[in-house]
Amino acid sequence: MTEMVFGAEGAPSAEREPIVPRWWRTVDRWTLSAVLVLFLLGLLLGLAASPPLAARNGLDPFHYVTRQAVFGVVGLAAMLIVSMWEPRALRRWATIGFGLTFLAVLLLPVLGTDFGKGATRWYSLGFASIQPSEFLKPVFVVFAAWLMTGSMARGGPPGKSLSFGLAVAVAASLALQPDFGQASLILAAWGLMYFVAGAPMLLLVSLAGAVVATGIFAYNNSEHFARRIDGYLDPVVDPTTQIGYATAAIREGGFLGVGVGEGLVKWRLPDAHTDFIIAVAAEEYGLLLVLVIIGLFAFITLRALFRLSRERDAFIRLAGTGLAALFAMQSVINMGVAVRLLPAKGMTLPFVSYGGSSLLATGVSLGMLIAFTRTRPQDDLGDALGLGGRHG
């Protein structure tokens, strides 16, 4: 079944070609360039947002931006390495990675810490911390795509049902932290993949209703969740809250911003360098830079989906769609929270916000996406003959 799903090995001539030249010939260089620009913009905004936090903690002014640069370079390196892997290698490692990261999430209530933020999401390593849910998301998507694809083969396992059970289990474990934002991302990505795999609309509507019912239950039984929803629904925004400071900064920035280094929101928000980095961009550089950032996220996502739309391998198409959805939805949620379109989620802006786990996990996730969207000569031959492509 594995060979039916993932195809036979490539032609011997392709196998003998060195990895790096073959990667450079087949990789989407426009996407690589857009990701690099996003990272550089993240460093630029880090230079503006992190010195106040460093001053409050008695550290060197560029302590956090230096760490962001180091983690970002490691994340970019991980992205490049993973993007060179073939789909079957990605599937194998994602399966192992899912088992390890899911176990790490399950052990958080026992071994994790909340760093005083009310949600146990991290493991403290002393010199740094790690958030396993960031790494769980991309490997879950790839593993779920493999399960769904396996169910398409005659006599294959009930992969769609198994993937649904795993999605519910993962979302529930995240909600217990509580981390409803990441749980919502997992369910939304799975739902989109299931839709692409050919799920009936009635089933998807039923699942959406179940999610709403779960949200109502969480509102009535979780003070953390209810507090965030109440704050979002309150028509009057307290100007001394994080959302109040962020929305005021965005208004003050206008089209061109108040000027580099002149912004005030970075002195008022403890999470200006992470969850509310877009507010810093809007205040100091204005709407113009915000539109550039939005354009980069849209470009990476739409370009990936366009390339995947021509993909004939079901596993690659499903996994790539799920990864693109994760990337796009997380960016929308982060920016939507800053302008009060969505309730506060505590979610970083991929490759822009400060955060070691976020930068590394985003690098791995984008590396997988780039690997799945690489050009494969078999596709062109299959199109010419009217046959399905084969992928090694």
Side-chain angles (χ1 to χ4, degrees):
M1 186 193 75
T2 302
E3 186 163 307
M4 289 175 61
V5 174
F6 299 104
E9 293 290 344
S13 59
E15 291 297 327
R16 285 196 297 267
E17 184 179 2
I19 293 177
V20 174
R22 174 156 49 108
W23 170 80
W24 183 247
R25 177 173 54 80
T26 59
V27 76
D28 183 8
R29 292 189 283 272
W30 284 102
T31 296
L32 288 177
S33 300
V35 172
L36 180 60
V37 172
L38 264 184
F39 170 62
L40 294 177
L41 288 176
L43 288 181
L44 176 67
L45 295 175
L47 286 169
S50 60
L53 179 64
R56 287 195 292 269
N57 293 333
L59 300 170
D60 178 82
F62 300 110
H63 172 80
Y64 291 104
V65 75
T66 301
R67 288 172 63 89
Q68 183 175 355
V70 172
F71 283 120
V73 169
V74 175
L76 285 173
M79 180 188 74
L80 294 177
I81 292 171
V82 172
S83 69
M84 296 180 187
W85 293 0
E86 295 300 321
R88 281 199 286 185
L90 288 172
R91 186 262 300 173
R92 292 188 186 107
W93 284 107
T95 301
I96 297 171
F98 171 75
L100 294 176
T101 54
F102 190 31
L103 178 62
V105 167
L106 292 176
L107 291 176
L108 276 172
V110 180
L111 303 176
T113 182
D114 63 356
F115 289 110
K117 295 186 177 183
T120 307
R121 303 175 183 174
W122 298 271
Y123 286 106
S124 177
L125 306 179
F127 60 92
S129 62
I130 186 169
Q131 186 175 352
S133 61
E134 291 285 356
F135 298 92
L136 175 63
K137 291 180 296 184
V139 293
F140 165 77
V141 161
V142 176
F143 183 50
W146 176 58
L147 290 175
M148 289 184 187
T149 310
S151 67
M152 297 177 187
R154 180 174 299 179
K160 292 181 179 179
S161 299
L162 290 173
S163 68
F164 173 67
L166 284 177
V168 172
V170 170
S173 65
L174 292 173
L176 291 174
Q177 294 181 2
D179 192 346
F180 295 102
Q182 303 283 23
S184 300
L185 266 184
I186 288 287
L187 291 176
W190 180 88
L192 180 59
M193 292 164 60
Y194 200 24
F195 174 76
V196 172
M201 185 59 69
L202 180 61
L203 177 58
L204 293 177
V205 172
S206 301
L207 291 175
V211 171
V212 172
T214 303
I216 295 174
F217 176 81
Y219 178 82
N220 292 324
N221 293 274
S222 171
E223 181 181 351
H224 177 84
F225 185 75
R227 185 170 59 250
R228 292 197 169 189
I229 296 298
D230 289 340
Y232 170 69
L233 296 177
D234 192 339
V236 179
V237 180
D238 185 349
T240 62
T241 62
Q242 292 197 94
I243 295 295
Y245 287 132
T247 52
I250 293 171
R251 284 196 304 268
E252 288 295 322
F255 189 74
L256 296 177
V258 298
V260 179
E262 299 299 320
L264 298 178
V265 70
K266 60 192 179 186
W267 294 98
R268 296 167 174 168
L269 289 179
D271 295 323
H273 63 315
T274 54
D275 300 352
F276 292 95
I277 193 70
I278 201 68
V280 176
E283 185 180 32
E284 297 202 1
Y285 297 94
L287 178 63
L288 186 61
L289 181 62
V290 173
L291 291 176
V292 170
I293 294 173
I294 293 174
L296 287 169
F297 280 109
F299 175 81
I300 294 170
T301 303
L302 294 176
R303 188 166 177 85
L305 292 176
F306 174 74
R307 294 171 73 91
L308 290 166
S309 68
R310 300 180 296 176
E311 178 58 59
R312 293 178 177 271
D313 188 297
F315 166 69
I316 295 176
R317 188 168 60 249
L318 289 178
T321 298
L323 292 169
L326 281 179
F327 180 74
M329 289 188 293
Q330 182 163 336
S331 62
V332 168
I333 290 172
N334 176 276
M335 291 184 281
V337 167
V339 297
R340 207 168 178 258
L341 287 175
L342 295 169
K345 297 288 186 183
M347 202 170 290
T348 58
L349 189 60
F351 250 114
V352 177
S353 296
Y354 171 84
S357 294
S358 176
L359 287 166
L360 292 175
T362 302
V364 171
S365 181
L366 284 176
M368 290 179 174
L369 180 60
I370 293 170
F372 287 134
T373 57
R374 281 168 54 187
T375 301
R376 292 177 175 82
Q378 296 93 331
D379 289 348
D380 300 331
L381 179 61
D383 291 339
L385 299 177
L387 302 173
R390 290 283 190 175
H391 303 288

